[in-house]
Each structure stands twice: as C-alpha cells, then as structure tokens.
Amino acid sequence: MADNLPDIIENQLLDALVGTAAYTVTGPIKLALVTANGNDASAGTEVTGGSYARQTITFGAAASGSISNSASISFTGMPAVTVVGIEIYDSAGSPKRLAYGALTASRTVTAGDTVQFASSAITLSLA
C-alpha cells in the first residue's frame, strides 16, 4: 500500500520530521475491514454486524521504506459481506486513521466465515 496515508497523517508526519510538532500514536494499532474504500480525505465504510471487531495488528521493523505485519490476523464470525479494503487505526479515544488501501482482490464472505491475513500479507510503504 504505497501512497495510502490520509492527508492529515501526511501533514503530521512532515511536521514531526522537521520538528515543528510532535507525533504520537496510541497503541495498540488496529486493523479494520471496509466494504467501500476511503481516500486521503475520508474513511471508507467499515464492516458491521456478526462478531466483527477491529483486530490488533503488529509490525516488524521497517526496511527499504516499507513495513509488514509480523503476525497473522483473523476476523472471526463475520457477517455476510464483501470486503474491498482495509484501514489502520490507532487506539486513541477518537481513533486516528493512519493508513488505508484496497485489497488486490475483494473477498466475499458468508455469515460466520473468518477473514485471515497471513504474516507479511499487509505492507505499508513510503517508497
């Protein structure tokens, strides 16, 4: 997922890079599934229903301008839905959307199914 940072995050990171403001993220970091993709300015439509809940996502160390999830992630008890993308949030009281992106192929699931992402299946890139 290159160039998939919301505008507000891009600005906050640039401010932190040059020292005009501090940048903090409240963990744990959460992965959300969406049925309609968002963009730089607005979030997508998050899955609702079933036992769906955002799941914790962990990352290894960045290398060559990218970073990948370091463990598999499972969303169990899904509602009947077609997942077209993901969004990544922090866990602040008003969660900050950190990144977003479309799946390479949408996933249609039936009620009760599990959606899984293997370790290293989700990669964020600044390159």
Side-chain angles (χ1 to χ4, degrees):
M1 292 180 0
D3 191 31
N4 291 98
L5 300 178
D7 290 337
I8 192 167
I9 298 300
E10 291 172 347
N11 292 335
Q12 290 174 352
L13 290 173
L14 287 171
D15 285 342
L17 183 67
V18 298
T20 58
Y23 183 80
T24 59
V25 174
T26 303
I29 305 304
K30 297 289 187 170
L31 181 66
L33 304 178
V34 296
T35 59
N37 286 310
N39 56 41
D40 278 5
S42 61
T45 304
E46 189 167 359
V47 169
T48 60
S51 297
Y52 169 80
R54 292 178 183 177
Q55 297 298 307
T56 298
I57 182 171
T58 56
F59 293 93
S64 301
S66 66
I67 194 167
S68 296
N69 62 307
S70 59
S72 62
I73 303 159
S74 295
F75 293 85
T76 59
M78 291 288 293
V81 67
T82 298
V83 177
V84 299
I86 62 170
E87 295 186 340
I88 297 174
Y89 288 84
D90 76 356
S91 290
S94 294
K96 201 183 320 183
R97 187 170 64 116
L98 305 172
Y100 65 93
L103 299 179
T104 54
S106 62
R107 297 185 187 184
T108 300
V109 297
T110 58
D113 280 355
T114 297
V115 173
Q116 295 183 322
F117 295 90
S119 180
S120 299
I122 298 169
T123 300
L124 304 177
S125 175
L126 295 179

